[in-house]
Amino acid sequence: QVQLVESGGGLVQAGGSLRLSCAASGTIFSINAMGWYRQAPGKQRELVAAVTRIGGTNYADTVKGRFTISRDNAKNTEYLHMNSMKPEDTAVYYCNADGVASIDSIKNYWGKGTLVTVSS
């Protein structure tokens, strides 16, 4: 069974940095795209950044130039480096893996989320 586990969330002051990690475990042959989403209180979940298997990236306008997404295909792991953080970055951040090919299926998976709080 495939699982995604996030780590690296926490409390940071405005202007500071954090790095989130997401490791996919289980019998995985390949993962198409991986991404990070976030959901702030009272708001809908939104895409923060995504990276394809060959390294193509996409960012929300609100994080361009501040956040960097990357992945290690050999480890089935993705990262989100967050710099120059703002209070409006406060949210629960969710890892997503799309097109995960395992023994008997190709599916989309979500992590349980990690809380990021940016204080002003």
Side-chain angles (χ1 to χ4, degrees), residues 89-104:
D89 294 322
T90 295
V92 177
Y93 283 69
Y94 296 91
C95 170
N96 178 267
D98 188 45
V100 180
S102 57
I103 293 177
D104 57 358

Side-chain angles (χ1 to χ4, degrees), residues 13 49 63 73 76 79 86 108:
Q13 288 188 331
V63 307
N73 291 332
N76 291 324
Y79 307 95
K86 304 175 181 180
N108 183 287

Side-chain angles (χ1 to χ4, degrees), residues 3-10 18-24 31-40 44-52 56-64 66-72 75-82 85 89 91-98 108-116:
Q3 289 186 322
L4 303 183
V5 178
E6 301 104 335
S7 61
L18 278 178
R19 188 186 80 158
L20 304 182
S21 300
C22 172
I31 300 175
N32 186 15
M34 300 187 80
W36 290 96
Y37 289 73
R38 68 186 181 187
Q39 187 166 18
Q44 289 188 330
R45 189 175 298 190
E46 63 177 2
L47 174 68
V48 177
V51 57
T52 67
T57 57
N58 181 41
Y59 293 94
D61 288 343
T62 53
V63 307
K64 281 181 182 177
R66 300 188 297 121
F67 291 10
T68 302
I69 189 170
S70 61
R71 64 187 282 179
D72 183 332
K75 296 180 179 179
N76 291 324
T77 299
E78 65 165 339
Y79 307 95
L80 185 67
H81 296 258
M82 304 184 288
M85 298 188 72
D89 294 322
V92 177
Y93 283 69
Y94 296 91
C95 170
N96 178 267
D98 188 45
N108 183 287
Y109 291 90
W110 288 92
K112 292 183 179 180
T114 184
L115 177 63
V116 172

